[in-house]
Amino acid sequence: MEIFTKKLTPIDFDRGLVLPPRSNLEPLQHFQGTIELSTIVESAAGTRLPEPVTIHCSTKSGSLVLKRGWYDIARDVGLKSGDTVTFYQEVNGGARFKLKVRNVR
């Protein structure tokens, strides 16, 4: 189940990845503070990072933001402004979520 798709901007690398306003938040349920999301990271070609990454999701100014873990993914995958990410709920082994990345090059 898709939660959101977003074309990345420079702010996403400075302040964290803010979920778009029309995100499907049902899979994240209601929470207070911070939750950890075990996430498989996959390229558009199907190449995956070797291990799931734990992304910390918290609220900031009324919006959900992916922070710790997100910065590691952005660095390891080489994400840049203009690239697109899609975040899904997908039960796969120990991970419950998948982040699919499409690089613009």
Side-chain angles (χ1 to χ4, degrees):
M1 171 187 307
E2 182 177 319
I3 297 172
F4 70 87
T5 295
K6 184 173 186 182
K7 185 175 182 178
L8 301 175
T9 67
I11 293 171
D12 296 318
F13 302 102
D14 292 336
R15 299 184 190 159
L17 180 62
V18 177
L19 277 63
R22 292 181 298 279
S23 298
N24 174 13
L25 301 179
E26 181 183 330
L28 298 179
Q29 303 172 1
H30 298 287
F31 68 92
Q32 296 286 339
T34 301
I35 59 171
E36 295 181 350
L37 309 174
S38 180
T39 306
I40 294 170
V41 180
E42 182 177 279
S43 72
T47 305
R48 291 184 175 185
L49 290 181
E51 297 291 325
V53 176
T54 299
I55 300 174
H56 290 239
C57 182
S58 59
T59 55
K60 180 178 179 182
S61 301
S63 298
L64 293 179
V65 181
L66 303 182
K67 287 237 178 206
R68 193 171 357 144
W70 159 247
Y71 297 116
D72 297 333
I73 291 169
R75 181 192 65 237
D76 293 347
V77 178
L79 291 173
K80 302 210 179 330
S81 184
D83 291 346
T84 303
V85 296
T86 303
F87 195 67
Y88 299 91
Q89 179 183 30
E90 178 180 285
V91 178
N92 191 334
R96 289 188 50 219
F97 299 94
K98 181 192 284 185
L99 183 72
K100 194 165 209 167
V101 299
R102 284 175 282 188
N103 301 94
V104 179
R105 295 205 169 75

